[in-house]
Amino acid sequence: MKKKLVAALTAQLMISGMGSVFAAAPVPAAETTAAAETTATTPVAATDKERVTFDGDITFHYRDQHDGNYVDGRPSQSRTAFKSTLKLNTNLQLTNDLSVYARFSYQHMNKESAAFARDYADRPASDLNDASIDAFGVKYNNDKYNVIVGSQALRLGGGLLYDNGFMGRYSMPYAINATRKMKAGELTAIAAQTNYQSGKENDKFFVVQGNYHLNSKTDLGGMIAHVNYGNTTKSTFNIPDSDVTFFSVYGSRKLTDKLDLSAEYLVGTASSANQGFQASLGYQCDKKNRRMGGYYYVEDQANIFNKK
C-alpha cells in the first residue's frame, strides 16, 4: 500500500425504536489521516420478548485524499469522493447463549472516479449503487466466553493492522473469533481466511490479542498477528514475503468524564517500511453523540493487505 493524507468529514444518522437501534460506526483508518468524525450510539439489550433485534447506521462521508510515495514510482495524485452508506444488522436469539446474525449493506457513490473510496469489494467502478447480504454466522455468548463463527468484520489491536470496513459478499473474512472474559480484561484468539472471488487465492491470518483494565480510567492492550498471503495478494501489492508477523501495543486513557485519548504503535517483520502509529481524541457530547479527531500514519508494509 502507500502513505496517504486524508481529510474526511462524516455525518451519521441514528434512528432507534422498540427492540431495535441504529448506531453509527467509525470510519476505517487510512494510512496517514487527519479526520473528523461524529458518532451517535444508543444500545438496546434484547430481552426474552425481543428475540429478533436490529441495529445499524446511515453515514454520509466526504473525502479529499492525496496519495504519494508509491513504492513502484507512480506519480502522486489527489482525488475526492462522496458516499452514502446504510448498514442493517439483524440478530435472532435461539437460546439465552446462542444466536444467529446477518448484515445487509447498501452504498451510493457520487461518481465513477470516486471508486477509490468505495467500501464494496466486489463491484466495478461503473456501479454507483451496490447492495448485498455480506455477513452471517453464529454467536455464542455467556458470562465467560464470546465466540463468533462465520463471515464477519474484524478489528485487530487498535485498528492499525486490520479494521475491515469493506462491504459486499466477498469482503468479509470467514473467521473463528473467541474471547475469554476476565475480571481485569479480555483475551481473544482469531483464525481467519479471506473470501475472495473465484480464481483468487485467499489469505490467512492468526491473531492473539488482549486488553487489561489497569484502572477505571486506563486500558492497555497488546497483539501478535501472523499473516500468510496468497499468491494473488502477494503479486498485486509486490509483497516480498508470503509470511509476515506483526506486534502491536495500544491503550486508552480517560482524561475527563467526556474526553479520552487513545494510541497504538505497530511494527512488522518486513525488512523495511514496517511501522505504524495512531493517536486520537474522543469527546462524548452526551449519551448518544460522540466526536473524534485523530492522526494515523502507516508505512507501506505495516498493515494487512486486502486484495478485493
Side-chain angles (χ1 to χ4, degrees):
M1 297 182 75
K2 53 203 172 283
K3 301 186 181 103
K4 300 178 184 175
L5 179 63
V6 180
L9 292 175
T10 304
Q12 294 155 324
L13 173 65
M14 181 274 294
I15 307 170
S16 61
M18 180 66 69
S20 65
V21 55
F22 286 72
V27 179
E31 271 90 10
T32 301
T33 307
E37 181 179 319
T38 301
T39 302
T41 305
T42 303
V44 176
T47 68
D48 290 339
K49 295 182 180 180
E50 295 173 350
R51 291 297 180 180
V52 180
T53 57
F54 296 89
D55 65 84
D57 61 78
I58 301 172
T59 304
F60 305 94
H61 180 78
Y62 173 78
R63 185 164 177 165
D64 188 339
Q65 178 168 313
H66 177 77
D67 297 313
N69 297 325
Y70 288 98
V71 294
D72 56 7
R74 283 176 290 165
S76 300
Q77 59 178 324
S78 296
R79 300 174 285 183
T80 63
F82 180 81
K83 58 187 176 183
S84 307
T85 306
L86 166 68
K87 296 177 186 176
L88 178 63
N89 307 297
T90 183
N91 191 82
L92 171 61
Q93 201 73 31
L94 302 177
T95 69
N96 288 337
D97 298 332
L98 189 66
S99 64
V100 293
Y101 69 91
R103 187 182 84 169
F104 169 81
S105 62
Y106 165 81
Q107 187 167 82
H108 171 74
M109 305 299 299
N110 67 321
K111 54 186 177 181
E112 286 191 28
S113 61
F116 75 95
R118 77 189 309 149
D119 298 312
Y120 261 80
D122 55 346
R123 299 290 195 274
S126 57
D127 287 348
L128 300 183
N129 298 281
D130 299 304
S132 70
I133 296 175
D134 54 11
F136 50 86
V138 179
K139 297 179 182 179
Y140 176 81
N141 185 47
N142 61 21
D143 292 339
K144 293 184 178 181
Y145 294 95
N146 180 47
V147 181
I148 305 174
V149 180
S151 174
Q152 57 188 281
L154 295 173
R155 177 181 172 88
L156 306 183
L160 278 181
L161 180 64
Y162 190 85
D163 190 357
N164 190 328
F166 293 128
M167 298 184 294
R169 59 196 178 106
Y170 298 113
S171 65
M172 298 293 181
Y174 292 118
I176 301 174
N177 183 353
T179 297
R180 173 68 163 91
K181 306 172 190 177
M182 295 170 283
K183 184 177 181 180
E186 305 84 32
L187 182 65
T188 299
I190 300 170
Q193 176 177 291
T194 56
N195 178 31
Y196 298 147
Q197 301 178 55
S198 178
K200 298 179 180 179
E201 186 176 352
N202 284 297
D203 311 322
K204 303 176 180 67
F205 46 97
F206 309 92
V207 183
V208 175
Q209 61 187 32
N211 296 322
Y212 179 71
H213 307 312
L214 188 62
N215 53 48
S216 61
K217 293 185 177 181
T218 307
D219 281 2
L220 300 175
M223 178 202 66
I224 301 174
H226 180 79
V227 184
N228 175 252
Y229 290 115
N231 289 328
T232 302
T233 304
K234 186 178 178 182
S235 61
T236 300
F237 295 108
N238 298 315
I239 301 172
D241 299 310
S242 297
D243 292 278
V244 184
T245 302
F246 298 92
F247 306 89
S248 167
V249 290
Y250 51 94
S252 63
R253 170 75 177 180
K254 291 187 66 174
L255 303 178
T256 68
D257 290 341
K258 294 187 175 183
L259 187 67
D260 59 82
L261 171 69
S262 63
E264 180 180 17
Y265 172 74
L266 174 120
V267 63
T269 56
S271 58
S272 62
N274 62 357
Q275 298 183 72
F277 170 78
Q278 72 88 9
S280 59
L281 281 171
Y283 183 77
Q284 196 72 36
C285 303
D286 51 41
K287 291 182 179 180
K288 295 183 178 181
N289 297 283
R290 177 177 172 82
R291 291 180 171 83
M292 292 186 68
Y295 175 85
Y296 298 80
Y297 176 83
V298 180
E299 293 181 331
D300 191 54
Q301 301 291 319
N303 61 355
I304 293 180
F305 294 92
N306 197 317
K307 174 57 182 168
K308 300 180 184 180

